[in-house]
Amino acid sequence: MNKKMRVGILGATGTVGQRFIQLLEDHPQFEVTALAASDRSQGKPYHAACAWRLPGEMPESVRSLPVNAPQPPLDCELVFSSLPSGVAREAEEAFARAGYAVISNSSAFRMDEDVPLLIPEVNHEHLALLETQRKTRNFDGGFIVTNPNCSTVMLAMALAPIHARFGVEQVIATTMQALSGAGYPGVASLDIADNVVPFIESEEEKMEAETLKILGRMSDSRVEGAGMQVSAQCHRVNVTDGHMAAVRVKLSRPAQVEDLSDALSSWRSLPQELRLHSAPSQPIIVRQEKDRPQPRLDRDAGRGMSVTVGRIRPDSVMDFRFVALSHNTIRGAAGAAVLNAELLIAKNIHAKTSAK
Ligand code: NAP
């Protein structure tokens, strides 16, 4: 059996960090060997630093691992980062500069021109940016790959097969986002009980900008953003996990509801061909029931890695409308990053630390 790659988790005690630990337990390619978090947690064993909030017990293998500062060196070859964006930039760059592969959830580098904003099903060819990144940043064997914001990922995935077949000109997306998207403890209970909050800091801007980068094409070693207009409005709702978006699209070529449904449900891509461990067999599941998708019923589809789309109908202002839903801490965060790392291994893209 091949030796597992040793990985570290930055922000290991948080909402996304705990998901990483859960998803990496018994992973066939990765073994968690290092953890890092804030100075509140540093120096403690993981079980003492982390209030475990996922169902089931904290995996035995990480209980006694010490929590370190998020700075190199750490005993690993690759770091998954779920640090707050304010600290991510310095920490992630330091790891990449020290020769580590950095697979980040945070927004710090997502929109940098030389950093892939990767969804393996959608834009695996954007990994070509790593060559530019190595040159422009003078990285000696390390690199940074990011995954999108938790709402962007489901929008970009739902748009990708529609854009490929019919061309998307305009998009209007209205989100209803789960509480776990705000980390722990997140939104105060008295602010969200019996309520909807129509503001999530920088979320609308992220959805609009990231979608264009993800759906853009490689041209002369850079990503040329997709030529569509995207408008997003984001809301926090009283749901624990699972972000939903009501989406309207204007297309460049004529289509029927059945055509959209077929484009979405038949869509397969490189992760499915390569049978990557975290890749769902069906990246987009189309539900025909009139009242689906729903967060409680659909967020765990494809072990949390499938996007569920329903209510595809003609729209009297744009061409079509539909509702998309995905698990925000799995496909929207930790699962997305793990899938990115699996793709890098499959493509034989390794950091310098792997050679040690
Ligand atoms: P969270 O629950 O608040 O966890 C934050 C983590 O970062 C904890 O491990 C915390 O450690 C650590 N941390 C905080 N301040 C730090 C500092 N100054 N230095 C080092 N470590 C520090 O947040 P989260 O929801 O997991 O989000 C983490 C990142 O992922 C953010 O960038 C967020 O935007 C992104 N993200 C989140 C989601 C989601 O659905 N939640 C989805 C996509 C992306 P301590 O426990 O020691 O304080």
Side-chain angles (χ1 to χ4, degrees):
M1 208 177 82
N2 286 340
K3 223 171 113 230
K4 290 189 184 183
M5 181 178 277
R6 291 160 18 256
V7 302
I9 301 171
L10 314 181
T13 49
T15 305
V16 177
Q18 293 187 27
R19 255 318 157 196
F20 272 123
I21 302 265
Q22 185 191 54
L23 296 176
L24 293 170
E25 190 188 10
D26 302 324
H27 192 286
Q29 295 163 293
F30 303 116
E31 171 190 13
V32 178
T33 52
L35 303 172
S38 79
D39 52 10
R40 184 192 68 79
S41 310
Q42 290 163 26
K44 298 178 186 167
Y46 188 63
H47 71 84
C50 173
W52 185 256
R53 297 189 193 276
L54 291 174
E57 296 299 319
M58 175 186 286
E60 202 50 47
S61 54
V62 294
R63 283 185 63 80
S64 52
L65 281 183
V67 179
N68 298 286
Q71 63 196 36
L74 284 184
D75 176 24
C76 58
E77 303 158 57
L78 173 155
V79 289
F80 289 111
S81 169
S82 53
L83 289 170
S85 54
V87 287
R89 202 159 173 101
E90 197 183 324
E92 292 175 2
E93 170 131 24
F95 276 98
R97 203 160 284 293
Y100 293 76
V102 178
I103 312 292
S104 173
N105 256 291
S106 112
S107 59
F109 285 99
R110 281 183 201 144
M111 293 305 295
D112 283 29
E113 276 206 348
D114 59 344
V115 175
L117 179 51
L118 185 67
I119 303 178
E121 283 92 345
V122 178
N123 62 354
H124 51 86
E125 67 281 3
H126 288 195
L127 281 173
L129 290 178
L130 291 179
E131 187 54 29
T132 317
Q133 187 185 113
R134 192 179 60 76
K135 286 187 201 143
T136 52
R137 294 183 199 251
N138 230 356
F139 283 165
D140 179 19
F143 55 81
I144 302 171
V145 170
T146 60
N147 55 261
N149 163 277
C150 42
S151 288
T152 308
V153 70
M154 66 180 164
L155 179 66
M157 283 181 68
L159 292 176
I162 300 177
H163 189 47
R165 265 203 220 178
F166 310 106
V168 175
E169 291 182 357
Q170 294 180 324
V171 184
I172 296 177
T174 306
T175 70
M176 290 143 269
Q177 300 184 212
L179 296 170
S180 60
Y184 192 86
V187 189
S189 59
L190 285 178
D191 286 340
I192 198 70
D194 188 27
N195 211 7
V196 171
V197 180
F199 175 71
I200 303 174
E201 184 78 50
S202 306
E203 198 82 351
E204 295 168 352
E205 294 83 349
K206 285 180 191 167
M207 278 188 82
E208 292 172 0
E210 290 178 16
T211 303
L212 300 181
K213 178 170 176 182
I214 294 162
L215 295 175
R217 291 230 173 98
M218 283 305 295
S219 164
D220 291 336
S221 308
R222 53 186 295 279
V223 174
E224 192 181 307
M228 63 177 76
Q229 293 175 297
V230 182
S231 161
Q233 285 186 288
C234 298
H235 306 81
R236 187 73 68 196
V237 298
N238 199 355
V239 164
T240 52
D241 289 315
H243 286 358
M244 188 183 252
V247 183
R248 285 151 202 249
V249 287
K250 193 158 195 52
L251 307 179
S252 6
R253 292 185 282 283
Q256 304 294 320
V257 167
E258 299 71 40
D259 301 329
L260 257 68
S261 177
D262 178 64
L264 291 162
S265 61
S266 65
W267 186 51
R268 304 287 182 277
S269 188
L270 188 61
Q272 286 70 40
E273 281 163 35
L274 295 173
R275 296 177 163 274
L276 299 181
H277 176 74
S278 304
S281 54
Q282 204 173 338
I284 298 184
I285 295 170
V286 176
R287 308 266 346 178
Q288 303 300 342
E289 300 93 324
K290 64 184 179 192
D291 60 353
R292 301 282 284 273
Q294 295 181 19
R296 248 188 7 222
L297 301 179
D298 296 304
R299 61 192 168 207
D300 293 324
R303 289 175 293 137
M305 289 298 282
S306 293
V307 174
T308 304
V309 171
R311 308 215 68 218
I312 306 172
R313 290 172 298 152
D315 185 75
S316 52
V317 177
M318 305 280 271
D319 291 326
F320 290 96
R321 63 174 85 163
F322 59 86
V323 177
L325 178 124
S326 80
H327 198 302
N328 55 294
T329 66
I330 303 181
R331 179 55 96 158
V338 173
L339 185 63
N340 283 354
E342 291 167 4
L343 179 67
L344 291 170
I345 290 180
K347 284 183 159 274
N348 217 7
I349 301 173
H350 292 285
K352 195 175 178 182
T353 45
S354 314
K356 281 180 187 165

